[in-house]
Amino acid sequence: MASRPPINGNKAVASKKIARSVATGLVLAAAALTAGGIFCFPLYAPVLVERLSLTQAEVSTIALAGMSAQYPLAAVVGTLLDTYGTWLTAALAGLFFASGFGGFAYQISRAGKFGPTSNEAVFRNLVSLFFL
């Protein structure tokens, strides 16, 4: 009986690299599609005012939280990119985006059920979630 030839290690390494490249590309594509969430804020600001009876100052504070979050994290993200590459930073961006906007949507849907009342806790939650 003939023995089986040994598995070629180069093919396994090559397929691992391809799989990692495809996964990184998909994560980067998803991050590109969801980038710029702050530019969408004017689209759902009227919903915040209607459902939560937020003032203009409160809505502006939520938007400001989202804009100001970009700058302190730039150095951290740059360091992560230099150290670990795109896979970690893209995965973290997806995680922050999903948790921030997912929590934001949850807060709006939950608060809308109780009528148009301005709730300080909901406002603070929205500020912190949009900061993500």
Side-chain angles (χ1 to χ4, degrees):
M1 266 199 172
S3 64
R4 297 174 86 183
I7 297 175
N8 189 347
N10 290 337
K11 286 184 180 180
V13 170
S15 70
K16 233 180 181 182
K17 284 183 178 181
I18 291 171
R20 186 173 178 148
S21 294
V22 168
T24 300
L26 291 173
V27 169
L28 287 173
L33 288 172
T34 58
I38 188 64
F39 301 113
C40 298
F41 189 77
L43 298 173
Y44 47 82
V47 175
L48 297 176
V49 172
E50 179 186 322
R51 288 194 181 181
L52 303 175
S53 299
L54 296 178
T55 66
Q56 182 61 45
E58 290 171 326
V59 172
S60 296
T61 301
I62 295 169
L64 184 62
M67 288 185 281
S68 65
Q70 299 174 44
Y71 302 108
L73 292 177
V76 174
V77 170
T79 303
L80 288 175
L81 271 169
D82 292 343
T83 306
Y84 299 103
T86 55
W87 70 272
L88 179 63
T89 52
L92 287 174
L95 178 68
F96 286 142
F97 183 86
S99 60
F101 278 97
F104 201 85
Y106 174 74
Q107 287 291 321
I108 292 172
S109 68
R110 191 183 77 165
K113 293 179 181 177
F114 302 113
T117 60
S118 180
N119 186 346
E120 186 67 24
V122 171
F123 167 68
R124 289 180 190 216
N125 287 341
L126 292 177
V127 169
S128 63
L129 289 168
F130 208 62
F131 186 80
L132 284 176

